[in-house]
């Protein structure tokens, strides 16, 4: 899409694409990612035993996605963590398209944090189907910087790695950001302490010198499970923070109010000149559009999912949109309503006025499809990932172990699934692929939870362009 709201030119940003020399990892532009990438043939997926009766370490699963393979839809390898109880959650690459000018850097190492343990793992994927654990940063090393509970991992343009941290060393507020160097050593805190209280996800646009971060709560609040009293006591976030990317300082804070409770995933449009983006407010079941105007960022609710009555609930059930992503061509916004059991796509060609394109009702407390290939679904769609060409949408069903146990206790007994829909970007439609099922309930040690998904060649939730 075109973006008229560009106030920082390529020359001002020091990144002139007229003379672009693409030597580093990733793709030169989002359009190049669409045109030059090949179909995904495997995925790395978080696998968890935290919160189940199975005393085994969490793992990263290698899932075969090649339809011509004899092991299609199977977990063909697992990288087990060295300790138990990590609660692997979100992970990311050591390098992505934002490092496109750094020669010699490879998109090769996965940075895999333990949300509950604060342990940080590094996995070498040189052999894509047989990756290996090569480094571990122990929790005590993290606590030295008065931080804990790592969440979002993004590579940054100079080859370093930045992790959002949700708590201090005791699991209380404030959180912050931890920086690793390209040897996977802790460089230190990225931001001056005290810039924010709560933290969760973040996304940056280097050409605009801006980063936007969101809020969940203190680890001591959300890790034991969800408690409505914590919401009433103001222990969950409702703010966005707009940062000076180069200085690492907060320049503006936007309070989304009660309609913006628990703003989770932050997604800027992939176009590096854009100042437009979206954030999903999970508890309020809304999606906000944010953008820069007259030197300040603004945010406005643009999608509202209504709560629904359920005979087993004594209150209307919120949709709980826990994950969102933007297609690489910036045309569609996809997301998941975990409790309602819905994956959806909106046309965001005009980001201020999203238009609902299609949705699927599958799993969750209301889904019309409650089993695939005879496998009963234990939870709703949660983490989503889209192919670079925008034609295949995948999702898993685990949110967070203690929250899973509250809202979908069967998830611990049956394990998660990974499902897929075929997307027609021209017509704006979704169609459930009922032949596709990856069953984490059949892992050798017993049923496991499944969370975030990554492609080896980059994806719609990890690549940033400089």
């Amino acid at each position: 899409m075109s973006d008229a709201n560009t106030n920082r030119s390529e020359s001002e940003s020091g990144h002139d694409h007229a003379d672009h020399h693409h030597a580093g990892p990733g793709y030169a532009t989002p359009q190049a990612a669409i045109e030059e990438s090949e179909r995904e043939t495997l995925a790395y997926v978080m696998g968890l035993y935290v919160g189940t009766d199975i005393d085994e370490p969490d793992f990263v699963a290698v899932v075969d996605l090649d339809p011509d393979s004899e092991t299609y839809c199977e977990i063909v390898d697992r990288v087990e963590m060295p300790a138990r109880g990590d609660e692997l959650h979100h992970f990311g690459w050591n390098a992505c398209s934002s490092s496109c000018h750094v020669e010699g850097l490879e998109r090769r190492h996965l940075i895999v944090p333990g949300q509950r343990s604060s342990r940080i793992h590094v996995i070498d994927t040189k052999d894509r189907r047989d990756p290996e654990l090569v480094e571990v940063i122990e929790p005590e090393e993290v606590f030295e910087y008065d931080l804990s509970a790592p969440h979002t991992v993004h590579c940054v343009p100079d080859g370093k790695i930045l992790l959002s941290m949700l708590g201090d060393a005791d699991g209380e507020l404030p959180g912050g950001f931890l920086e690793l160097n390209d040897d996977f050593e802790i460089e230190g805190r990225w931001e001056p302490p005290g810039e924010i209280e709560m933290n969760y996800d973040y996304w940056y646009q280097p050409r605009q010198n801006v980063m936007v971060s969101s809020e969940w709560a203190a680890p001591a609040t959300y890790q034991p499970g969800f408690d409505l009293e914590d919401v009433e006591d103001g222990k969950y976030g409702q703010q966005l923070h707009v940062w000076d990317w180069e200085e690492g300082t907060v320049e503006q804070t936007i309070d989304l109010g009660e309609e913006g409770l628990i703003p989770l995933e932050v997604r800027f449009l992939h176009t590096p000149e854009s100042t437009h983006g979206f954030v999903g407010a999970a508890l309020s079941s809304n999606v906000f559009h944010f953008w820069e105007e007259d030197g300040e960022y603004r945010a406005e609710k643009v999608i509202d999912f209504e709560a629904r009555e359920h005979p087993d609930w004594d209150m209307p059930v919120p949709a709980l949109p826990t994950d969102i992503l933007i297609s690489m061509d910036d045309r569609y916004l996809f997301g998941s309503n975990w409790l309602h059991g819905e994956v959806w796509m909106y046309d965001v060609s005009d980001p201020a006025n999203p238009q609902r394109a299609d949705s699927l009702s599958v799993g969750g407390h209301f889904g019309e499809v409650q089993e695939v290939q005879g496998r009963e679904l234990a939870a709703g769609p949660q983490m989503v990932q889209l192919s670079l060409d925008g034609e295949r949408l995948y999702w898993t069903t685990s949110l967070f172990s203690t929250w899973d146990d509250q809202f979908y206790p069967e998830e611990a007994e049956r394990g998660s699934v990974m499902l897929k829909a075929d997307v027609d970007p021209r017509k704006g439609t979704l169609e459930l692929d009922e032949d596709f099922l990856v069953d984490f309930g059949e892992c050798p040690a017993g049923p496991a939870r499944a969370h975030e998904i990554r492609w080896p060649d980059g994806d719609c939730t990890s690549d940033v362009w400089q």
Side-chain angles (χ1 to χ4, degrees), residues 6-201:
T6 301
N7 62 357
R8 187 175 161 90
S9 68
E10 290 187 350
S11 57
E12 287 176 321
S13 69
H15 193 102
D16 188 351
H17 268 243
D19 300 316
H20 192 282
H21 173 58
H22 176 227
Y27 301 93
T29 65
Q31 187 61 32
I34 297 170
E35 295 176 358
E36 297 172 10
S37 64
E38 297 180 353
R39 177 180 172 133
E40 67 285 353
T41 55
L42 64 83
Y44 299 118
V45 183
M46 293 297 211
L48 294 84
Y49 282 113
V50 171
T52 72
D53 293 332
I54 299 169
D55 185 24
E56 292 288 334
D58 295 347
F59 59 91
V60 173
V62 181
V63 177
D64 189 338
L65 298 181
D66 181 356
D68 297 325
S69 168
E70 292 182 355
T71 54
Y72 180 52
C73 292
E74 294 182 12
I75 297 172
V76 295
D77 192 32
R78 297 185 307 138
V79 183
E80 289 190 347
M81 300 301 107
R84 288 166 168 74
D86 285 311
E87 181 115 28
L88 303 185
H89 193 61
H90 287 209
F91 61 153
W93 291 99
N94 67 307
C96 72
S97 295
S98 73
S99 305
C100 60
H101 290 283
V102 184
E103 293 191 46
L105 197 61
E106 296 180 78
R107 189 207 306 267
R108 172 171 161 177
H109 291 91
L110 281 168
I111 314 303
V112 184
Q115 227 292 316
R116 202 173 285 271
S117 68
S118 299
R119 188 173 289 106
I120 300 171
H121 314 83
V122 181
I123 292 176
D124 186 345
T125 67
K126 182 179 181 181
D127 184 337
R128 290 184 168 190
R129 291 178 69 94
D130 187 21
E132 62 175 335
L133 181 70
V134 293
E135 296 276 350
V136 177
I137 299 173
E138 294 295 341
E140 293 74 19
E141 300 174 66
V142 174
F143 298 155
E144 288 182 16
Y145 297 88
D146 200 20
L147 292 170
S148 68
H151 190 270
T152 298
V153 179
H154 274 303
C155 61
V156 295
D158 59 1
K160 294 181 180 177
I161 299 146
L162 191 63
L163 295 88
S164 62
M165 309 292 290
L166 275 54
D168 65 13
D170 296 321
E172 301 288 351
L173 299 176
F177 290 87
L178 190 71
E179 189 173 54
L180 308 184
N181 63 27
D182 54 8
D183 289 324
F184 313 119
E185 299 165 333
I186 296 178
E187 190 94 338
R189 286 187 76 126
W190 173 77
E191 94 295 3
E195 288 291 302
I196 55 172
E197 281 288 305
M198 296 184 194
N199 203 5
Y200 182 72
D201 192 36

Side-chain angles (χ1 to χ4, degrees), residues 322 336-339 341-343 362-364 379-384 395-397:
T322 46
S336 61
N337 291 348
W338 190 55
L339 291 181
E342 185 181 45
V343 288
V362 54
Q382 213 283 106
M383 295 305 296
V384 294
W395 64 90
T396 56
T397 54

